[in-house]
Amino acid sequence: SAVGRGPEVPFRSEAYGISAVARGKELRLTLSALDPAAGPPPQDLVFRFGMSGSFRLSPAAELPRHAHLRFLTRESPPRALCFVDPRRFGSWRLGDAWQPERGPCVVSEYQAFRENVLKNLDDRAFDKPICEALLNQKYFNGIGNYLRAEILYRLKIPPFEKARTVLEALKEQERTKKDPSLTLSKKVKLRQENPDLLELCHTVPMEVITAEKQLFDPEHSDNYAAFKNWLQCYLVPGMSSLRDRSGRTIWFQGEPGPMAPKGQRPRKTPRKKSPQLKAEPEALSPEVTPRALKQRPRAAGKCLKSEEKEEEKEEEADRPGKGRARGRRKVTAAPALPEVPPSVRRSRRTSARRGKDAAPAV
């Protein structure tokens, strides 16, 4: 589109196909001419979706807003496969290379992902709390803010427990699960009944992927409501929240853990009142006043807005430098006001202090 920030795609073909492969938070499209002899060589594009990027297939005559890149079909009437990104945090680049600092994908490369974490536990990245380590895409490629909250909540792991402490315990669990005396059925049962952190880094995203059409479509309120119902911890009423050292909000239940930031007190998301039954009044703790209780619903709204701003900051920081420079808005300077002589400014201030009938300053 005319307002798209991505690079021009140097691919022209009357008939071509599109294939795709995902890895963590990136997606690679390959454009290939149906007649390789007559058409151009294949072209690869690697996409990042930011907060709001997605692909949508729609009639070419009814393009969705913010459709920044379009692939047209040859049918009649034609349709368009569009990369739609209202907030423009998403991007695409030419070539087939994944970002070099991203590790194996938690979904499509599970075994490689698991080995990459367990063999590098001496890395300084694991000196941090587990909630912060889970956002490190070098080791947890594909895990984002809501996924880390859901994974830690299901395992009842305090978010500010040291990452190395949590992950080193998995080595002993792994030896138990690989015990040659256990039958295959017992090993499978053991894994299903006692999944570890790295296994949930694979299975929890898979829950969303397999039910994506029903769970995650913000433009259809019924579907998005299903996604919110799927969430067990993230933004759920009754859960606590803290900001980690990178400024991101982590949602959890119970104690935050020994590495929780000092000077912060966990905030609780207010529970929604049932429309049928009036909730019993809860006993107030010494630190909570009735006035503070009334202000909590407003605070919940602020939490949602601040969470959105944090996501924006993360996506902005993760974009290439050139994209940020191109994305800056041009600011038009305001017209200059006529300069007021200093003596006049002083006399005006003196008049204002003394009043209309006061004698002029000497």
Side-chain angles (χ1 to χ4, degrees):
S1 72
V3 296
R5 294 177 182 170
E8 192 74 24
V9 181
F11 182 86
R12 298 289 180 272
S13 177
E14 288 298 317
Y16 63 96
I18 303 177
S19 59
V21 59
R23 186 174 186 266
K25 291 187 175 183
E26 295 181 293
L27 181 77
R28 182 168 65 210
L29 297 190
T30 301
L31 316 180
S32 306
L34 297 186
D35 183 2
Q43 174 67 60
D44 292 301
L45 307 170
V46 176
F47 287 81
R48 291 188 65 250
F49 292 90
M51 287 182 68
S52 59
S54 66
F55 277 98
R56 206 171 303 168
L57 188 62
S58 60
E62 302 172 14
L63 291 175
R65 292 184 64 191
H66 310 290
H68 299 302
L69 193 62
R70 306 117 183 212
F71 304 95
L72 300 175
T73 67
R74 298 189 69 186
E75 60 193 334
S76 182
R79 289 184 294 170
L81 177 66
C82 305
F83 176 64
V84 182
D85 186 17
R87 297 190 180 186
R88 302 191 191 185
F89 287 129
S91 63
W92 68 86
R93 62 184 184 276
L94 305 179
D96 62 353
W98 306 110
Q99 282 187 324
E101 287 302 309
R102 291 183 180 269
C105 175
V106 297
V107 172
S108 60
E109 303 168 294
Y110 171 66
Q111 285 302 329
F113 148 70
R114 187 181 185 92
E115 291 168 9
N116 185 44
V117 172
L118 293 179
K119 76 181 181 183
N120 288 296
L121 289 182
D122 57 345
D123 192 318
R124 292 177 62 186
F126 299 106
D127 291 336
K128 297 182 178 182
I130 185 63
C131 66
E132 295 178 16
L134 283 171
L135 294 184
N136 187 334
Q137 300 299 295
K138 181 179 178 181
Y139 295 108
F140 296 91
N141 186 11
I143 300 298
N145 207 19
Y146 83 89
L147 285 172
R148 69 169 176 171
E150 296 299 311
I151 291 165
L152 295 174
Y153 170 77
R154 294 189 189 193
L155 293 172
K156 296 182 173 54
I157 296 175
F160 291 95
E161 185 64 67
K162 191 173 184 178
R164 188 176 292 106
T165 302
V166 174
L167 294 167
E168 279 184 341
L170 302 188
K171 290 184 175 181
E172 184 59 36
Q173 293 179 29
E174 200 162 64
R175 290 192 202 100
T176 304
K177 291 175 182 178
K178 289 182 177 180
D179 187 347
S181 63
L182 295 175
T183 62
L184 179 60
S185 60
K186 285 185 178 179
K187 288 180 181 179
V188 172
K189 187 178 180 181
L190 192 62
R191 286 183 180 276
Q192 289 175 344
E193 292 177 352
N194 302 287
D196 62 38
L197 179 84
L198 298 181
E199 287 169 347
L200 284 191
C201 285
H202 172 73
T203 58
V204 174
M206 284 299 299
E207 288 180 19
V208 182
I209 292 169
T210 53
E212 186 175 2
K213 290 182 180 179
Q214 291 78 26
L215 286 182
F216 202 46
D217 190 351
E219 292 208 348
H220 296 83
S221 57
D222 293 342
N223 292 352
Y224 193 56
F227 172 71
K228 289 197 291 185
N229 290 335
W230 173 85
L231 293 170
Q232 298 179 29
C233 179
Y234 182 79
L235 292 176
V236 172
M239 296 296 162
S240 301
S241 65
L242 277 173
R243 287 182 184 271
D244 62 23
R245 287 168 180 78
S246 61
R248 308 295 307 284
T249 300
I250 175 67
W251 300 82
F252 61 96
Q253 186 179 52
E255 293 298 319
M259 297 182 73
K262 294 179 180 179
Q264 282 193 59
R265 186 176 297 173
R267 296 178 300 175
K268 271 209 171 185
T269 311
R271 295 183 180 275
K272 294 180 181 178
K273 291 183 180 179
S274 170
Q276 290 146 347
L277 299 174
K278 191 172 181 180
E280 289 287 331
E282 296 181 1
L284 300 181
S285 66
E287 297 176 349
V288 181
T289 63
R291 182 180 178 184
L293 210 61
K294 289 178 183 177
Q295 292 175 345
R296 279 185 178 179
R298 190 181 299 173
K302 289 181 180 177
C303 286
L304 293 172
K305 289 180 181 177
S306 65
E307 183 70 13
E308 192 172 85
K309 287 179 181 177
E310 290 164 17
E311 296 281 356
E312 290 180 3
K313 286 178 184 176
E314 181 199 24
E315 293 298 338
E316 189 73 31
D318 217 9
R319 282 162 60 188
K322 286 186 178 179
R324 286 201 299 274
R326 285 199 303 271
R328 290 178 188 143
R329 293 183 179 177
K330 292 183 180 178
V331 180
T332 306
L337 296 175
E339 180 66 25
V340 180
S343 59
V344 175
R345 289 202 297 270
R346 284 197 296 272
S347 65
R348 283 180 183 174
R349 286 198 297 271
T350 305
S351 301
R353 285 197 300 269
R354 297 191 175 194
K356 290 182 180 179
D357 300 326
V362 178

